[in-house]
Amino acid sequence: MKHNHYSLAQTDAVNVTLTIKEGVVTHHVTVKITLEVAEGDDLINTERWQIRLQNDFIAELHALYNYRFFTQDGYTNKKITDRLQSSADKVMGKGVIRGVELIVEGIVKPSNS
């Protein structure tokens, strides 16, 4: 029986700008995304594809955060992490990324909103 050891790969903090009301930025959400990945080749490949993963995550978060259905339970709920997991599976292949954790580091409301 093979026992996998898992590591955590973490993205840099990502700032997601939300434009909800008539094209005006309503607030900025800063998030950090942590991926659970098996050590070895999966971890090495995840590190190689980190920029692509981060770009896909940002695009997904921009889309999701603009819909109340996804944010009514907060910015880190299961609906959102499931979508990020699906994005990771498309890039890396199903099962490479074992888990996705999303942490909100800050929410700032700009002075113009």
Side-chain angles (χ1 to χ4, degrees):
M1 176 192 247
K2 183 180 177 185
H3 294 282
N4 287 332
H5 295 283
Y6 290 89
S7 292
L8 301 176
Q10 195 168 68
T11 66
D12 293 331
V14 175
N15 187 33
V16 181
T17 301
L18 303 183
T19 54
I20 296 175
K21 295 180 183 172
E22 300 172 7
V24 175
V25 173
T26 59
H27 51 288
H28 301 277
V29 179
T30 303
V31 297
K32 190 162 272 203
I33 302 166
T34 303
L35 308 174
E36 185 178 5
V37 185
E39 291 181 356
D41 290 341
D42 286 347
L43 181 59
I44 291 167
N45 287 330
T46 300
E47 289 170 349
R48 283 185 188 142
W49 286 92
Q50 186 169 0
I51 292 171
R52 166 75 189 276
L53 286 165
Q54 184 168 324
N55 287 341
D56 287 4
F57 291 154
I58 291 169
E60 193 70 30
L61 289 172
H62 271 284
L64 297 175
Y65 282 177
N66 283 302
Y67 290 101
R68 179 138 173 76
F69 171 77
F70 289 102
T71 60
Q72 64 190 1
D73 299 324
Y75 295 107
T76 60
N77 64 61
K78 183 162 172 32
K79 291 181 279 196
I80 293 171
T81 55
D82 285 350
R83 291 285 290 267
L84 295 179
Q85 179 70 55
S86 178
S87 291
D89 290 345
K90 288 176 186 171
V91 173
M92 301 303 302
K94 193 160 179 72
V96 173
I97 305 296
R98 185 173 181 201
V100 176
E101 181 182 21
L102 184 63
I103 299 168
V104 173
E105 293 195 330
I107 301 173
V108 177
K109 185 173 183 176
S111 59
N112 67 340
S113 62

